[in-house]
Structures are given as C-alpha cells and as structure tokens.
Amino acid sequence: MAKVLRTTRLEMTTSATTAAGILNIPFIVRHANATSMKSTFWIMELDAPGVDGEPKLAMQYLQVVMLDFFQRRDGVPGLIGWPHVSTNTLEKVANNGCAPEVLTSG
C-alpha cells in the first residue's frame, strides 16, 4: 500500500435557494426534489509511480444530497427529507493532454 505524501481538500456546498444552486427538472421536483448538496474531495499524491513518471494520484469523494419527498405524516410541518450519500475512490490512469501542473496543482 502506497503512503499519502500530500492531500488537497476541496469542499463545495450549494442549495436550491441560491441563484446558481441546484436546478431540477419538473419530474424530480415533484417526486424527490434535491434541495441541498455538500461535497468533499480529497486529491492525494501517493508514494508510488503514476502516469508518465509522475507521482500516482488518487481522489476520494463524499457527496450528500438532501432529497425532499412528500408531506410528513407525523404531524410535523414540512416534507420528508432523506440524505442520498455517495462515496468513491478514483485513480488517475492517463493524462488528458493538459500540462502536468494543471492536473496536479492545488
């Protein structure tokens, strides 16, 4: 297992109430409206050989999207909210033509 030499952390939060927030199609708004999202990305430089002699890069992420469904049935006002959680680990396997400093800056 390779050691992590450096980590860059990126965070993003948005909601349906902000001007550039979440936009949904009408079907989604009616059935499971996404009202907020929070994402955290960790880009890691590993102590192992990677693409074209560069250090190996991996990215892990965690994303939580809050979905609003139908009206609550327990007497509390509002909609039923449910978190949709996604996590994953990705490994860089090829360059896409960008300069290496663009791909690894942070």
Side-chain angles (χ1 to χ4, degrees):
M1 175 181 262
K3 285 178 28 178
V4 176
L5 299 176
R6 182 173 59 173
T7 300
T8 300
R9 181 178 169 176
L10 307 170
E11 290 190 21
M12 185 196 75
T13 302
T14 191
S15 71
T17 59
T18 59
I22 300 171
L23 299 176
N24 295 307
I25 62 174
F27 177 84
I28 297 298
V29 171
R30 281 191 307 273
H31 298 286
N33 191 30
T35 56
S36 68
M37 182 185 79
K38 181 175 182 178
S39 297
T40 304
F41 299 85
W42 295 270
I43 303 169
M44 298 168 288
E45 181 180 319
L46 305 176
D47 185 19
V51 177
D52 298 331
E54 299 171 17
K56 185 177 220 170
L57 295 177
M59 180 177 75
Q60 292 184 315
Y61 69 86
L62 167 65
Q63 175 178 289
V64 180
V65 177
M66 288 304 296
L67 301 173
D68 282 351
F69 291 95
F70 42 84
Q71 290 292 321
R72 295 177 61 116
R73 297 180 180 156
D74 59 1
V76 176
L79 302 175
I80 293 175
W82 194 267
H84 181 306
V85 180
S86 303
T87 63
N88 208 339
T89 300
L90 307 169
E91 182 180 312
K92 182 178 175 184
V93 296
N95 279 327
N96 67 355
C98 291
E101 19 331 318
V102 172
L103 297 172
T104 60
S105 67

